[in-house]
Every structure is written in C-alpha cells, then in structure tokens.
Amino acid sequence: MKFKIKKIDKAQAVELLSAHVEKAVFGVFILGFLMFFVGALKQSPYPKTPLQLNGDAQRVSSKVDSSTFDPATDVPVVKDLPKAEEVAARWDTRESWNRPISDSKKRRPEPKYLALQDVHVATGYGAIPIRVANDDPAAAAAVAPRAAAAPPPGGGLEELKRNAGRGGLGAGARPGGLGAPGLGGAPAAAAPSGSTLKGMQWAVITGLVPFANQLKEYRSAFRDVRYANDQLDFPQYDSFEIERAEVLPDSAAVDDAKMKWVVIDRKRTADLEATFTQTGTDPVDPVFEDPAICRPLPYINGKEHDKSVAHPKIPVGAQNLGAGQANVVGARAAPAAGVGLRAVAAGAAGRNGLMGSLGGARAESVQTGPKVEYKLFRFFDYTVHPGKSYRYRVKLVLANPNYKVAQQYLANGQSTKGPTRDAAWSEISPEVAIPRGFSLLAGGVKKASGLAEQKIEVLVRMWDPKEAVDASRVAELIRGQVANFPTEDTPIEFNLVKPITFKTDTLVLDMTGGDSIPNATRTKGPGQLLVMEPGGRLAVKSELADLDTYESTKVRLKELKDQQDAAKSTDSAEEADDKPKKKKKTEAAGGGGLRGAAEAAGKGRRNP
C-alpha cells in the first residue's frame, strides 16, 4: 500500500506560522527556564559565609599594602651589565652605577672598623732640649746651655766639624743600639736658650693604619642611604689606646691572653712632649700621617732620626705621587690634633643643611688626593726602663659616623649613641729589649808574658742620661774582671769634659786571639771576648764585627785629646806672654815697687 505525500501549500504554511508564532516562542522560553531550574537544583550550596568572605578580603588588602618591589626579579637582566659594572668600579663613586628603578634607599648601618696592622717596636735614646720655667731662675742658671770656646790655632772647632764625617759613635743610633751625638757625626749643639738637655730613652711603636680599606668599608656601608653626610661618611681617626706588658725572664711560655697589660697614660706623654722646645725632622711624607694617631718626632741634640720612626711598608722621604694616582682612593686632608670629634659634634649644620641630603642630590665635597694604602701610626713610650723587655698592643678609636643622626635614618637606633667607636685590638708586637745604656766592643788581645796575664783591649761606650751625653773610653781587661771603672773626666766634644762613671756590670769570662799569623796582612789574629752581661746572659764580642766603629772611635778620642792638649798649650803660652805686660802696667799705675803693687791691688778690690 502506497502512501502519497500531499504537497504542502506554501501559502497555508505561512499563514499557520503567522497565526501561532507567539505560541512557539513562549514554548521555547518555558523549556529554557525548566532546564535552568533543573540545573540549579543539581548545584551544591557555597561553603563560605559572608563573614568569611569579608576576612579574606581584608587579608588580600594587607598583603598588597605590605608587598615590595624586587629589582632582582622584576627588572629585566641586561646582557652586558656585569662588564659595565666592572669598568665602573675603577671610579670610586658615592652612588651606584646600576641604580634600581624604584626608590630603594636604605637606612644607615654601622660600618666595620678595622684594626691596626703589623705593629713594630724600636728603641732609641738621646739628649732632648726641655723647656725651663722662667719663674725658676736657679734652675735656669743651673742648666745654662754650654757654649763652645775658641778653638786652638791650627785646629779647634772648625776642624772638628770638618772631621766629623770620619765616623765614630755619632753616625746615628740604630734600633736597640747606641750612637753618640758628641763623638763622630755632627758635634752636639748647645741647648736653645731657656732650655736644658735631658737624657731620655724610649720605645717607638709604629704600625699600619688600613686607611684605604677603611674608606672602602665606609663607602660600601653608606652607599645609597636615605641620609648621607660627606663629613660623617668619611673615616676620621679620633685617638687611640695603647697597652704594654713586661716580658719577664720566666714568662716565655705565658699565653698572650694572660699577659699583664698596663695602660700607658697618653696624657702624661702629651704633657712631657709639650715641654720639648722643638720637633725633629720627620723622614715620612705628611700625606701618610694623621696627627690624631701619629705623634711628632722629638728633636735629638746632635742626631737625626732614622727609619725606625717610620715603618717598613711606609715610604720614607717626599713622595711624588702624580695625577695618575690621584682620585682613585679619596684622601681627606689630616685634621689638626684632636679635631676629629669636635668637628663632628659641631657639624649640626652639616647634618641638617647643605652637607646633608635625603635621597636624591647630595653634596660631593669629599676631598680627593693621592692614593694612600696605609697611614702611619706612631707613639713614643718614654716610661721604659733599661734592661727590661716589653710587648705592645694598640686599639684605634674612630669618630662615630652615626653620632646624633636621627633615629628614623638608622638601621639600628643604638648606633647613634656615643661619639666614638673602637676598632679591635691589634696583634701583639714582637718583644723588644730596652738597652742598658752601654756597649762593650772587643779589640786586640795581648798574649800572656811571664807573670803578666793575658789581656784584651776593649772600648766601653756609655750613655749617661744624667749628663745627657755619650762617652767612650779604652781600657784593658783580664779574665774574671768586671768592666766597671771609677768616675773620671772624659772628653765629650771640643772643650767639653764631663765626669763619667763607666759602669757596665759585665763580667769577663774568657778571651782568645792575638796569635801570630804568618804570611798575612794582619800580624795577629782577631780578638774574641766571652762575657756575662747583667741578668746572666752570655754574649760573645768579636774584634772583626766591631772593627770599623772601634777604630774610628779611637781616632776620634785621640783627636779630642790632641785638641784639648793644644788648647791648654795655647792658654799656657798666652799666660806666659801676659805676665810681663801685667807687671809693667802694675808698676806704671803705682810708681813701681811694693807700693805700686799695693795700690794696684787696692784699686782691684774697689773695682772688681
């Protein structure tokens, strides 16, 4: 059976749709609503309450407010930045070359304070001109400066000056040794008017102040800070502390930490130095010195200071530091003694005025100069005792760079307290022995003959601090003899004789030498001497080791004796010539005879 599909009339279909279109649209809407309703019924309810949602919102807000910008992760990496920073590091600048996009100024930290390095100690002695109080005429008269008398014909003082370079004891004192300002070298000058020559011994302590590295510490600590101040952000040495420990004979095994340290009174030293009439010539260029930590040199009568007042790593003499070395490491001109803290304390205007700055622009007024790796620390200890041994340690004191800075600019509020900051103690210096003020030089040996014992000629050199002079004498010693000699008038320089007691307390134990040497330039073998010095220390003296000093000193002593003998002969001849003249004058004044002599004597008493 076949079904026939009737042909749909187009006009009828359009008419049907037009009549029922609103019903179709309404049906679709009802169907969609039913689907939405059924879907809603299938959904589970929201687990959080409105109160919980409010807490979450507050936490998100707080996290946003406390978040910071991280340049390490939020700034794109520049490919050639490390190379650029390496090149830029050649110039020491106050601001970073690679400044962050955001304002990352930090609060002021506490820099690291570096300790003194490589402490050295040397010894010295000499006659120092000391000022005499004007209100003490008796003392002034007692210490009136000695004046050189007229030299004898054909020699005297001028010849003595010309011959001074021949050597002797005045070539300068070596560290720990004895030199002579009067014998050899330049003749000892008279003390300035109103002063006296005081014999003194001392230990000079030197060390290296790590100035360049300390400056780097400051630059690193105060770079990109919120509050910058060129005066505060530069290391200023204010003072120092120094301690001394005596090394006893039985303390070789004592631990350094258990040594008995005694503070040296720096004020007492400064008061003593204030009485010095003048300062000595300093072999160190001033660019390496800071008056706050480097004491001036005392003037030594008849001597010049040697390299022991410097340091092996500090150049001696004027340094020609050219422009090629300038501006690499900043170097501020050294302040006057004691200025450090006072300048900082008086810098309130700098903190709140032009010298200070918050963030942005800053005053680049730090002085620059030659590159100075180290500055010199130097101190004289005048309280040493001959025959004792000491060790020293030093602590540098710097001005506090955060002193009186407002708390809001400091990383640690405690860093503003106190005007100074202490560096750590330096390493302990090597042991130094203070000389006893004498030395014994060996000469030739005279062989025993018959009942005569074997003898050795020695040169005794003595520093007399009471007379403030060096003296020497030649003597002969035998085994078992102590090298002490009674007080005797000893020539010091032309027309100057002082009573000197040669006391060494040195015992002669044995001697050798003096044997004939065939086919040799020397006819006898050199002498050697074994002695026991005070304290029980054994020492060997050799003629060869002391030959130059021994011979030059003997020549100098002979010159002084010849000059003084010539002066005495000249004085005797002048007195002999003056006697007839005085006799004629006496006779002419009083008519001659006894009567004239009596009248002349009366006039002399009335008119002294």
Side-chain angles (χ1 to χ4, degrees):
M1 180 177 182
K2 295 183 178 180
F3 292 95
K4 293 184 179 179
I5 300 175
K6 293 183 179 181
K7 187 177 181 180
I8 299 174
D9 188 1
K10 184 178 181 180
Q12 292 179 352
V14 170
E15 182 180 358
L16 179 63
L17 290 174
S18 299
H20 302 285
V21 64
E22 67 277 3
K23 297 181 181 69
V25 172
F26 181 74
V28 171
F29 176 78
I30 293 299
L31 180 62
F33 176 77
L34 291 174
M35 293 177 64
F36 178 79
F37 181 75
V38 172
L41 291 175
K42 294 181 177 180
Q43 293 292 328
S44 59
Y46 188 71
K48 293 186 177 182
T49 65
L51 186 61
Q52 292 174 328
L53 292 175
N54 186 40
D56 291 342
Q58 291 180 355
R59 284 192 294 272
V60 171
S61 178
S62 299
K63 185 174 182 180
V64 171
D65 292 340
S66 61
S67 64
T68 57
F69 177 78
D70 188 1
T73 58
D74 298 337
V75 177
V77 178
V78 181
K79 181 179 180 181
D80 295 331
L81 182 59
K83 184 182 295 185
E85 290 180 338
E86 181 181 351
V87 175
R90 300 176 185 174
W91 290 269
D92 188 41
T93 60
R94 298 296 302 274
E95 299 287 351
S96 300
W97 285 79
N98 180 29
R99 299 187 64 181
I101 297 175
S102 65
D103 184 10
S104 62
K105 295 290 183 180
K106 62 182 180 181
R107 299 193 179 197
R108 294 175 63 86
E110 186 95 6
K112 181 180 179 181
Y113 305 105
L114 305 180
L116 186 71
Q117 302 174 5
D118 199 12
V119 180
H120 283 226
V121 186
T123 62
Y125 77 102
I128 299 178
I130 302 293
R131 189 176 295 106
V132 177
N134 294 329
D135 57 353
D136 190 358
V143 299
R146 55 180 182 258
L157 188 59
E158 293 303 319
E159 184 177 352
L160 182 146
K161 292 180 179 179
R162 289 194 300 270
N163 296 335
R166 296 182 182 178
L169 303 182
R174 294 172 294 178
L178 293 175
L183 297 175
S193 178
S195 67
T196 178
L197 293 177
K198 182 177 181 180
M200 302 181 69
Q201 279 189 274
W202 58 80
V204 54
I205 301 94
T206 59
L208 297 176
V209 180
F211 175 75
N213 287 336
Q214 186 65 75
L215 183 61
K216 289 180 182 178
E217 290 289 340
Y218 271 55
R219 290 290 172 84
S220 175
F222 299 125
R223 177 171 285 140
D224 298 328
V225 293
R226 294 181 184 179
Y227 174 78
N229 186 306
D230 290 331
Q231 185 177 10
L232 298 177
D233 300 350
F234 191 91
Q236 295 189 38
Y237 293 94
D238 181 77
S239 58
F240 59 92
E241 295 181 19
I242 183 168
E243 293 182 344
R244 181 182 75 190
E246 182 179 351
V247 181
L248 302 176
D250 56 347
S251 62
V254 175
D255 186 10
D256 292 345
K258 297 181 180 179
M259 299 184 70
K260 295 182 179 180
W261 293 100
V262 178
V263 177
I264 297 179
D265 189 346
R266 294 186 296 110
K267 183 180 183 304
R268 179 182 176 186
T269 302
D271 292 343
L272 174 62
E273 292 176 337
T275 65
F276 296 170
T277 59
Q278 58 195 109
T279 58
T281 303
D282 198 334
V284 179
D285 193 298
V287 73
F288 298 101
E289 298 179 344
D290 184 333
I293 52 177
C294 185
R295 302 305 301 157
L297 301 179
Y299 173 80
I300 308 176
N301 191 49
K303 285 166 112 176
E304 291 290 343
H305 289 283
D306 57 16
K307 293 183 179 181
S308 66
V309 299
H311 190 280
K313 294 184 180 179
I314 297 291
V316 175
Q319 301 300 305
N320 183 18
L321 301 178
Q325 291 180 300
N327 303 324
V328 178
V329 176
R332 171 162 297 188
V339 164
L341 284 182
R342 287 189 284 274
V344 175
R351 296 187 183 92
N352 301 312
L354 295 178
M355 291 295 291
S357 61
L358 299 178
R362 57 196 305 172
E364 293 291 340
S365 64
V366 174
Q367 303 177 20
T368 57
K371 182 177 180 180
V372 178
E373 185 77 14
Y374 299 102
K375 283 186 177 289
L376 175 65
F377 170 84
R378 182 171 61 210
F379 178 78
F380 286 86
D381 180 9
Y382 297 100
T383 63
V384 295
H385 298 278
K388 292 188 176 182
S389 298
Y390 303 102
R391 299 182 73 183
Y392 293 84
R393 65 179 183 179
V394 181
K395 179 165 61 178
L396 298 175
V397 179
L398 292 86
N400 182 6
N402 291 326
Y403 185 54
K404 293 186 177 181
V405 174
Q407 297 272 355
Q408 65 196 63
Y409 304 122
L410 300 176
N412 182 2
Q414 299 297 321
S415 64
T416 189
K417 296 183 179 181
T420 61
R421 287 293 181 267
D422 294 347
W425 284 104
S426 68
E427 293 186 359
I428 301 175
S429 74
E431 178 183 346
V432 61
I434 308 302
R436 294 182 180 272
F438 67 87
S439 62
L440 202 65
L441 279 65
V445 173
K446 296 182 179 179
K447 301 296 291 184
S449 176
L451 297 178
E453 294 189 43
Q454 188 180 29
K455 298 179 179 180
I456 185 170
E457 186 181 84
V458 296
L459 176 67
V460 187
R461 304 163 68 191
M462 179 66 63
W463 162 246
D464 190 328
K466 183 178 179 181
E467 298 290 345
V469 295
D470 266 309
S472 299
R473 66 162 293 170
V474 177
E476 292 182 343
L477 298 174
I478 62 175
R479 292 182 181 89
Q481 184 176 352
V482 178
N484 291 339
F485 306 93
T487 302
E488 65 176 22
D489 291 338
T490 304
I492 305 300
E493 54 189 78
F494 172 69
N495 207 35
L496 177 63
V497 176
K498 289 282 187 178
I500 303 296
T501 302
F502 290 86
K503 181 179 174 61
T504 70
D505 292 331
T506 301
L507 175 64
V508 177
L509 298 179
D510 200 1
M511 64 188 73
T512 184
D515 297 322
S516 299
I517 303 177
N519 303 323
T521 55
R522 288 182 60 94
T523 58
K524 294 184 178 181
Q528 285 187 312
L529 180 64
L530 176 63
V531 297
M532 178 184 292
E533 297 180 343
R537 191 174 74 92
L538 298 179
V540 175
K541 310 292 183 178
S542 173
E543 181 183 4
L544 290 180
D546 304 325
L547 185 61
D548 292 339
T549 304
Y550 192 99
E551 292 184 350
S552 60
T553 305
K554 286 187 66 175
V555 171
R556 187 77 189 111
L557 290 173
K558 187 176 184 305
E559 287 178 351
L560 289 176
K561 186 177 184 306
D562 292 344
Q563 290 167 351
Q564 291 171 355
D565 291 343
K568 291 179 181 179
S569 300
T570 302
D571 292 341
S572 300
E574 290 177 353
E575 290 178 1
D577 292 340
D578 288 343
K579 285 182 179 180
K581 297 178 182 179
K582 291 180 180 179
K583 183 177 180 181
K584 290 181 180 180
K585 289 181 180 180
T586 302
E587 293 175 350
L594 295 176
R595 181 180 178 183
E599 292 179 358
K603 291 181 180 179
R605 284 192 297 271
R606 289 191 298 270
N607 300 295

